[in-house]
């Protein structure tokens, strides 16, 4: 939304000077503190870039978003490893644990055992899948270097996916703000749908056993 507002009041050079660092910072912080809707941020930035005349705007959004996500993941994993190795743990490790329900963690550990670091790619594309897989990697004692190698394609695929959503939103509407609204709405639907589906399946299975 910040990037969309800027398009109406500032020239493209100013938008880029402000927008790219802002996108990097927000995605990086969102990777460390998983409450920031980073997917919606990338989609919004892609909408704005789609409506710009600079030919490399979309490429820059992709590179900035994927690098910020990768750096945030690596830093959070490093902090988690420090917590695993310390006597009293750390608040970062506790934050990771608090966002990884036992059922999701068990699934993540099974997938990690079956597919190795390839599961990192899927974890970033599935809403709320990143943290359980990261915790599973920590509990398995995966070295930081191996985690980082697996996280590179994960972040690239994640950035590309949400950028495509933004491009679709930007192509459907003449005004950037309209495309931003559409892209944000779609990313919210994508993030909420799996949780709703699990709840519905849980109620159905509960009703069958009753």
């Amino acid at each position: 939304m910040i990037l969309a507002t800027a398009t109406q009041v500032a020239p493209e050079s100013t938008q880029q000077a402000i927008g790219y660092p802002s996108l990097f910072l927000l995605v990086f912080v969102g990777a460390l503190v998983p409450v920031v809707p980073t997917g919606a941020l990338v989609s919004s930035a892609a909408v704005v870039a789609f409506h710009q005349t600079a030919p490399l705007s979309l490429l820059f959004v992709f590179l900035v978003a994927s690098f910020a996500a990768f750096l945030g993941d690596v830093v959070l994993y490093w902090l988690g490893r420090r917590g695993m190795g310390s006597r009293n743990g750390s608040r970062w490790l506790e934050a990771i644990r608090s966002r990884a329900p036992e059922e999701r963690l068990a699934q993540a550990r099974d997938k990690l055992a079956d597919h190795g670091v390839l599961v990192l790619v899927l974890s970033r594309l599935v809403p709320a899948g990143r943290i359980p897989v990261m915790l599973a990697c920590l509990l398995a004692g995966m070295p930081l270097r191996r985690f980082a190698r697996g996280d590179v394609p994960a972040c690239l695929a994640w950035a590309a996916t949400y950028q495509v959503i933004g491009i679709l939103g930007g192509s459907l509407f003449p005004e950037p703000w309209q495309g931003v609204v559409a892209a944000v709405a779609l990313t919210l639907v994508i993030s909420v749908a799996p949780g709703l589906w699990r709840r519905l399946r849980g109620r159905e299975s509960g009703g069958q056993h009753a």
Side-chain angles (χ1 to χ4, degrees), residues 6-17:
T7 62
Q8 301 175 5
V9 296
E12 285 189 13
S13 58
T14 304
Q15 294 169 31
Q16 294 168 2

Side-chain angles (χ1 to χ4, degrees), residues 33-98:
V33 186
V35 293
V36 179
T38 51
L41 289 170
V42 176
S43 296
S44 299
V47 171
V48 175
F50 179 82
H51 285 277
Q52 291 181 342
T53 58
L56 297 179
S57 295
L58 286 170
L59 176 61
F60 289 151
V61 168
F62 171 73
L63 294 176
V64 169
S66 55
F67 180 65
F70 171 75
L71 187 61
D73 283 354
V74 169
V75 170
L76 183 58
Y77 192 78
W78 177 75
L79 291 169
R81 279 183 60 85
R82 288 194 63 186
M84 293 286 291
S86 68
R87 192 170 176 181
N88 299 318
S90 70
R91 64 187 183 91
W92 292 102
L93 180 59
E94 288 303 316
I96 295 174
R97 288 183 183 275
S98 67

